[in-house]
Amino acid sequence: MVVGGDAGGGLRGPGSAVADTVAPVNANTSTWSPAPTALLTDHYELTMLQAALRDGTALRRSVFEVFSRRLSNGRRYGIVAGTGRFLEGLAQFRFHGERLEFLERTGVVDATTAQWLADFRFSGQIQGYAEGDAWFPNSPILRVDGTFAEACMLETYILSVLNYDSAVASAASRMTSAAGERPCLEMGSRRAHDEAAVAAARAAVIAGFTGTSNLEAGYRYGVKTIGTAAHSFTLLHNDEQSAFRSQLEAQGLGTTLLVDTYDVDAAVRKAVELGGPELGAVRLDSGDLVAQAGRVRDLLDSLGNTKTRITVTSDLDEYAIASLAAAPVDAYGVGTRLVTGSGVPTSSMVYKLVARENSAGELEPVAKKAAGKGSVGGRKTALRRRDAHGVATHEIVGVDTVPVDDGDDRPLMETFVRDGELVDGWTGPAAVERARQRHAATMAELPRAASRLSEGEAVIPTVLVS
Amino acid sequence: MVVGGDAGGGLRGPGSAVADTVAPVNANTSTWSPAPTALLTDHYELTMLQAALRDGTALRRSVFEVFSRRLSNGRRYGIVAGTGRFLEGLAQFRFHGERLEFLERTGVVDATTAQWLADFRFSGQIQGYAEGDAWFPNSPILRVDGTFAEACMLETYILSVLNYDSAVASAASRMTSAAGERPCLEMGSRRAHDEAAVAAARAAVIAGFTGTSNLEAGYRYGVKTIGTAAHSFTLLHNDEQSAFRSQLEAQGLGTTLLVDTYDVDAAVRKAVELGGPELGAVRLDSGDLVAQAGRVRDLLDSLGNTKTRITVTSDLDEYAIASLAAAPVDAYGVGTRLVTGSGVPTSSMVYKLVARENSAGELEPVAKKAAGKGSVGGRKTALRRRDAHGVATHEIVGVDTVPVDDGDDRPLMETFVRDGELVDGWTGPAAVERARQRHAATMAELPRAASRLSEGEAVIPTVLVS
C-alpha cells in the first residue's frame, strides 16, 4: 500500500488504489517509542504513595477501574481509543535520572520513596475493552489489578490518554457513520496540541477515517497520510494557472486542486483545461458547500470531467456531513471539530479504587459516597448481550461476578498486561489496524439507532448484575 | 522556593511561603528538550515544498502571519501562549534518520526534496506578541519572514502549539480574573492529552495560576507543583481516621485533607481532632460548593480552626468561580474546564501568506478572496494605544507600515528569532516567569470591562492603518 499525495480520498492519488480505503494502516518499520512518561502524572499520586509506604498500606492488593458515569451531550455510544498508546507509554513509566532527582530535590518525595520509585516496575494485570469497541455508562473500560502503590500511580496518565483519544474516536465514529461510504480524511492537526494531533489522527483512523494529514502519525503508526496544497501555494505564484500547472507537474494528474482562492468557477475551468479529463479532484474550503458542490459538479460534468471528484473541507462535523449526504461530494476533510471531539473535547472517564485488600488479607469492595459522584464498589467484568441475529441488546456488567454468556453474547474484557508483561498485539501499527477492524465489527453489531445524531439515551442499556 | 505538598493554595505547605503565590516559577536545572518536531506537520506542507522547489518559487522571500479573525464565544480578549514552546521545538525541527526515510519511502517527497530537507535549517526572522500579552481580532500574533520553503513548512507546528496553549491561557486568564486575590490551582491533567496536559499547566501559570498538579511541567519549566491526596487514599484505609492520620504524619499539619468521601461534617470533625488548630486546609470536591463552604467554614470556626483554609475543586470554571466570590473559599482547584479552554478548546488562529517576492524581486502583498475566509494582504506591525493614564484604548495594526507611537503607546512586536538564531530569554523556565509578569502587566493595562464574563465585543477595537 502506498501513502499517496491525494487529499481527494486516496482513490486517485499516484500509486494508490481503491483498497487504500479498506486498509489505511500500513506495516511500519519505525522504532519510535514515547519519551519518559512517569511524570505525566499528578503530584498527589506520589504524596499518596509516600504516605501509604509509611503506614504499610501501599502493598495492599487493589483494583482500580476506568469508567464513565454518562455519555456526554446525549450521545448514543462512545468509542474506546488510547489503550495502545497507554500500553506503549507504560513501558516508559519509570523513575530515573533528572526526573527522579527533580522529585527529591523539590520535596515531592523523600529519599525512601525516591529509592522505591527507582526500583519501580509495574507488575500487575491490566484488562479491559479493546480499542475500537463501544462503551456505555458504567462499562469497565480498563481494569488495573495490582498493589495500591503501582495501580494508584498510573491514574493520571491512563486518564489523560483514554479521555482524549476516546473523545476523538467517539466524535470520529459519528462522522464516519454520517458519511456512509464516502471517505473521511483527518486534517485537524493545527487545531490540536502538537502531540495531541498525532493521537487524534490515530484515533480517527481507528474510528473509520481513511487517512490523515499528520505525518508523525504516518511515521509512528503506519497510517495513510494525505495532502496536496493550501491557498498559500496559489498565492505564492504569479497567478492561479501557474500554481495549478506546477502542482500537476509535481504531483501528477491524480492530485486535488484547491479551487476557492479567487473565483471558484474560473478556477474549475482552469483546472480542467490544465488537468484534462484525468484530473483527480478539486477541493472546496469555503462558502455554502451544498450549493457550491452542486454547481461545481455540474460545471465539471459539462466540461467532460465526470470522473473528477469533489472534496470539501470547511468546518465540517457530523451534522454538516449528514447535511451534505445528498450533495455530489466525494470525500470529507475534517479538522477542528474532529480533534476537539465535536463539542465533547474530553471524555468523562474516571479511575476509581473499587476493591482493595483488608487487614485480614481479603479483597473487599470500596466506594465513595460523595454527592453526585458516587461509585459502585466491586471488581467488574462485562459482556455484550446479543440477540439471535447478532444485534447488541444490553451491556451486562458483573460486579464481583463474571456474567454468563447466553450463547450469542460477546465477552468484552481483553488482557493487555499479564504479571507486568505486555501481551502481544495491542501496541504499534498492528494495534491500530486491529482496532479499526474492531470498530467496524462493533458498529455492525449495534442497533441501527446508534447512528442517530440527535440527543437521546444510550443505544443499549447497561445492566449491573451481582 | 520550595515546591510544596499543599493543594490548599501553597500558603501553608511544609516549607512553602506566601511568596510562592507571587513567584510560582522556579529556576530549573532540567536539560529537557522536545522530541523531534519536524513531522508534527501536515503532509501538504511538504508536497507544496516539493512543487515549489521544482518550479523555482520555493526561495521567494515570503511573509506569513498568525492571526485570528475573531474572539470566540463573545470573549473580550485573548491571551497569547505557546510561543516559548514553539521556539523550543523549532530547534528540533530538522529532518533526518528514520523520519526522513519515512518521507521518502512512502512517497511524500522525492529524493531531491529529501536531500533539501536533510540540509534544512530555519534561517529567517520570527517576531510577534510576547507570551502573556493580550490579542484581539487581526492582531499579528506571530510573523515569520523567510523563504516560502522554510516559512511554509512551519505552519502546522506553529498553529498546533499556539492554538492550544492560547486557548488554555485565555480561559485561565478569565478564571484568575474572576478569582481576584484567591489562588487558582491547575489540576486538569487527566482531562487533557498527556502532553497537552504539560502545555496546559504552563499556559495556566502564565495566566496567573499559582501552581499545577502536573509533575512534568514542574520538571520542564520549574513551575510550582501541588497535591495531597485523592478519595482512593481514604478508601484504601480501614477508615477515614486512619487515612487522615497517615496523611498528617507523612505530609505535616499544613496539608489539605479531602473531607467528602463519606460524610462531610463528620470528616471535618475528625480532621480537626487529628490536625488540631494548625491544620492547613480541607478540600471539597462535590455537592453544592457555596452551601458546603459556608457550613464547613462555620464548623471549622466553631471548633477553633479559624485559620484552616477551604479549597474547592469540583467542575469549576470562571462562572463557578465568580459565583463563589462571596463564599468563604480560600483557593480554587480547576481541572476539566481549564484544559479544554472553558468552551473554546482551540483558538481560531490561522497562518497566512500575506506578502511574497514577485518575479521582479519585490515584496508584494497577497490575500485570498475565499467567502468568509478572506485575509488582509501586507506585512503587519502593531502597537497598543494607551491614554495618558496608561489604559489601553486601541489595537493599532500597521499594514506595510509601522504605526507611530503617540507617546503613551506600547509596541507589541518582540523579536524571537534573528537570522535563524533564537534570541535569549524567550524559552525555558525564564520565559514562563517573564510571560507571567507580562500577563499581569497587560491585565493592569486593559480597561476594567476586560474582566466582564458576559458575551460582548473585544474590550478595545483593532484599527488597521496603512
Side-chain angles (χ1 to χ4, degrees):
Chain A
M1 199 202 73
V2 171
V3 177
D6 179 13
L11 299 183
R12 289 166 180 275
S16 71
V18 173
D20 287 0
T21 60
V22 187
V25 184
N26 205 344
N28 190 306
T29 59
S30 147
T31 61
W32 175 84
S33 71
T37 54
L39 262 54
L40 297 172
T41 194
D42 286 324
H43 186 127
Y44 79 5
E45 313 292 1
L46 300 191
T47 48
M48 286 192 279
L49 168 71
Q50 180 159 306
L53 284 172
R54 283 191 190 206
D55 74 23
T57 55
L59 299 186
R60 282 186 169 194
R61 189 186 155 203
S62 296
V63 183
F64 281 84
E65 286 172 357
V66 173
F67 65 94
S68 174
R69 298 182 180 95
R70 62 177 190 283
L71 287 162
S72 298
N73 289 21
R75 298 263 181 96
R76 309 311 178 108
Y77 65 97
I79 294 295
V80 178
T83 318
R85 279 217 307 122
F86 157 63
L87 296 171
E88 288 158 9
L90 179 62
Q92 310 298 325
F93 200 91
R94 304 285 177 83
F95 297 87
H96 47 67
E98 274 191 3
R99 286 182 171 82
L100 187 55
E101 287 164 27
F102 161 79
L103 295 176
E104 207 176 337
R105 174 170 51 82
T106 58
V108 175
V109 299
D110 61 22
T112 310
T113 306
Q115 186 54 55
W116 190 93
L117 289 172
D119 297 335
F120 166 75
R121 191 178 179 294
F122 182 77
S123 65
Q125 326 299 323
I126 302 181
Q127 295 174 292
Y129 284 35
E131 280 193 279
D133 212 332
W135 62 267
F136 299 94
N138 294 308
S139 293
I141 294 163
L142 200 76
R143 191 179 67 206
V144 180
D145 282 89
T147 62
F148 176 81
E150 65 187 354
C152 163
M153 278 199 297
L154 296 178
E155 176 179 27
T156 313
Y157 182 58
I158 286 177
L159 289 177
S160 288
V161 175
L162 292 184
N163 272 326
Y164 181 70
D165 293 22
S166 299
V168 174
S170 298
S173 179
R174 286 160 61 87
M175 293 169 181
T176 55
S177 174
E181 296 299 307
R182 295 176 179 174
C184 292
L185 306 163
E186 193 283 306
M187 300 179 171
S189 293
R190 66 194 55 198
R191 296 296 173 86
H193 173 280
D194 41 301
E195 275 288 333
V198 185
R202 181 184 181 281
V205 169
I206 286 174
F209 274 58
T210 57
T212 174
S213 64
N214 190 285
L215 289 172
E216 185 77 12
Y219 162 67
R220 290 186 195 170
Y221 299 110
V223 297
K224 178 181 164 70
T225 67
I226 47 89
T228 51
H231 294 103
S232 64
F233 187 77
T234 300
L235 296 173
L236 167 67
H237 289 81
N238 295 350
D239 50 49
E240 199 169 43
Q241 200 148 337
S242 314
F244 285 180
R245 188 176 295 119
S246 168
Q247 187 180 330
L248 289 161
E249 280 170 11
Q251 301 177 13
L253 297 179
T255 194
T256 300
L257 293 173
L258 179 57
V259 293
D260 69 344
T261 304
Y262 306 110
D263 178 83
V264 173
D265 285 10
V268 170
R269 289 178 190 279
K270 279 176 218 161
V272 169
E273 192 183 315
L274 294 167
E278 298 303 311
L279 176 66
V282 296
R283 176 160 77 96
L284 293 167
D285 184 48
S286 54
D288 176 343
L289 296 175
V290 174
Q292 291 235 52
R295 217 177 58 218
V296 168
R297 180 75 269 157
D298 289 346
L299 182 54
L300 285 169
D301 291 348
S302 76
L303 297 168
N305 276 47
T306 54
K307 289 182 177 170
T308 298
R309 297 157 58 86
I310 300 175
T311 298
V312 295
T313 57
S314 185
D315 294 330
L316 298 182
D317 61 11
E318 62 268 48
Y319 305 102
I321 290 170
S323 76
L324 285 160
V329 167
D330 300 286
Y332 302 104
V334 191
T336 308
R337 295 286 292 176
L338 173 68
V339 302
T340 58
S342 198
V344 185
T346 184
S347 308
S348 47
M349 295 176 192
V350 293
Y351 182 83
K352 296 294 170 191
L353 181 66
V354 296
R356 51 105 182 110
E357 199 177 341
N358 61 21
S359 310
E362 297 151 346
L363 201 64
E364 191 173 77
V366 294
K368 68 172 173 172
K369 310 288 183 218
K373 289 186 172 183
S375 49
V376 178
R379 193 166 180 275
K380 322 287 188 313
T381 306
L383 57 74
R384 191 153 298 153
R385 180 130 298 163
R386 299 187 293 194
D387 65 20
H389 306 289
V391 178
T393 62
H394 298 84
E395 190 84 337
I396 309 288
V397 178
V399 181
D400 280 330
T401 183
V402 177
V404 181
D405 186 337
D406 75 0
D408 296 307
D409 299 346
R410 183 163 65 85
L412 296 170
M413 309 298 282
E414 303 280 358
T415 299
F416 305 123
V417 176
R418 187 177 289 125
D419 299 333
E421 298 296 326
L422 283 185
V423 173
D424 278 350
W426 299 109
T427 57
V432 178
E433 176 55 22
R434 182 178 189 170
R436 205 180 62 75
Q437 294 178 15
R438 176 68 262 158
H439 175 261
T442 291
M443 292 306 291
E445 174 190 85
L446 292 180
R448 275 172 166 274
S451 64
R452 287 191 194 146
L453 297 180
S454 58
E455 294 189 17
E457 299 297 310
V459 70
I460 58 171
T462 304
V463 178
L464 271 63
V465 297
S466 52
Chain B
M1 198 204 75
V2 173
V3 176
D6 179 14
L11 300 184
R12 291 167 180 274
S16 71
V18 173
D20 287 0
T21 60
V22 187
V25 184
N26 205 344
N28 190 307
T29 58
S30 147
T31 60
W32 175 84
S33 70
T37 55
L39 261 54
L40 296 173
T41 194
D42 286 326
H43 185 126
Y44 80 4
E45 313 293 2
L46 300 190
T47 48
M48 287 192 278
L49 168 72
Q50 180 159 306
L53 284 171
R54 284 191 189 208
D55 74 23
T57 55
L59 301 186
R60 283 188 168 191
R61 189 186 155 203
S62 296
V63 183
F64 281 85
E65 288 172 356
V66 173
F67 65 94
S68 175
R69 297 182 181 97
R70 63 179 190 280
L71 287 162
S72 298
N73 288 21
R75 298 264 180 97
R76 310 309 178 107
Y77 65 97
I79 294 295
V80 178
T83 318
R85 278 216 308 121
F86 157 63
L87 296 171
E88 290 158 8
L90 180 62
Q92 311 298 324
F93 201 92
R94 304 285 179 83
F95 296 85
H96 46 67
E98 273 191 3
R99 286 183 172 82
L100 186 55
E101 286 163 27
F102 162 79
L103 295 177
E104 207 176 337
R105 172 170 52 81
T106 58
V108 176
V109 298
D110 60 21
T112 310
T113 307
Q115 186 53 53
W116 191 93
L117 289 172
D119 297 334
F120 167 74
R121 191 181 179 291
F122 182 76
S123 64
Q125 326 299 322
I126 302 181
Q127 295 174 290
Y129 284 35
E131 278 193 281
D133 213 333
W135 64 266
F136 301 95
N138 294 309
S139 294
I141 294 163
L142 200 76
R143 193 180 66 208
V144 179
D145 282 90
T147 62
F148 176 81
E150 64 188 354
C152 163
M153 277 200 296
L154 297 178
E155 176 180 27
T156 313
Y157 182 57
I158 286 178
L159 288 177
S160 288
V161 174
L162 291 184
N163 271 327
Y164 181 71
D165 293 24
S166 299
V168 174
S170 297
S173 180
R174 285 160 60 88
M175 293 169 181
T176 55
S177 174
E181 296 297 308
R182 296 175 179 175
C184 291
L185 305 162
E186 193 282 307
M187 301 177 171
S189 293
R190 66 193 56 198
R191 295 296 173 86
H193 174 280
D194 40 302
E195 274 289 333
V198 186
R202 181 184 181 280
V205 169
I206 286 175
F209 274 60
T210 57
T212 174
S213 64
N214 190 285
L215 289 172
E216 185 76 12
Y219 163 67
R220 290 186 195 169
Y221 298 112
V223 298
K224 178 181 165 69
T225 66
I226 46 88
T228 51
H231 294 103
S232 63
F233 188 76
T234 300
L235 295 174
L236 167 67
H237 289 82
N238 294 349
D239 51 48
E240 197 169 44
Q241 198 149 340
S242 313
F244 284 0
R245 187 177 294 118
S246 168
Q247 189 180 327
L248 289 162
E249 279 170 11
Q251 301 177 12
L253 297 179
T255 194
T256 299
L257 293 173
L258 179 56
V259 293
D260 69 345
T261 304
Y262 305 111
D263 177 84
V264 173
D265 285 11
V268 170
R269 288 178 190 280
K270 278 177 219 161
V272 168
E273 192 183 313
L274 294 167
E278 298 304 310
L279 175 66
V282 297
R283 177 159 78 96
L284 293 167
D285 185 48
S286 55
D288 175 344
L289 295 175
V290 173
Q292 290 235 53
R295 216 175 62 217
V296 168
R297 181 75 270 159
D298 289 346
L299 181 55
L300 285 170
D301 290 348
S302 75
L303 297 168
N305 276 46
T306 54
K307 290 182 177 169
T308 298
R309 296 157 60 87
I310 299 174
T311 297
V312 296
T313 57
S314 184
D315 293 329
L316 298 182
D317 61 10
E318 63 268 46
Y319 305 102
I321 289 171
S323 75
L324 284 160
V329 166
D330 299 287
Y332 302 104
V334 189
T336 307
R337 294 286 292 174
L338 174 69
V339 301
T340 58
S342 198
V344 186
T346 184
S347 308
S348 47
M349 294 177 193
V350 294
Y351 182 83
K352 296 294 170 193
L353 181 66
V354 295
R356 53 102 183 115
E357 199 177 339
N358 61 20
S359 309
E362 297 151 348
L363 202 64
E364 192 172 75
V366 293
K368 69 171 172 174
K369 311 287 183 219
K373 289 185 170 183
S375 50
V376 178
R379 191 167 183 276
K380 323 285 189 310
T381 307
L383 57 75
R384 191 151 298 150
R385 182 128 298 162
R386 298 187 295 193
D387 65 19
H389 306 290
V391 178
T393 62
H394 298 84
E395 190 83 337
I396 308 290
V397 177
V399 181
D400 279 331
T401 183
V402 177
V404 181
D405 187 337
D406 77 359
D408 297 307
D409 298 345
R410 183 164 65 86
L412 295 171
M413 308 298 282
E414 303 280 358
T415 299
F416 304 124
V417 175
R418 188 178 289 127
D419 299 334
E421 297 296 326
L422 283 185
V423 174
D424 279 350
W426 300 107
T427 57
V432 179
E433 175 57 21
R434 184 179 188 170
R436 207 180 60 76
Q437 293 178 15
R438 176 70 261 158
H439 175 261
T442 291
M443 292 306 291
E445 174 189 84
L446 292 180
R448 274 171 167 274
S451 65
R452 285 189 194 147
L453 298 180
S454 58
E455 292 188 20
E457 298 298 309
V459 71
I460 58 171
T462 304
V463 178
L464 271 62
V465 297
S466 53

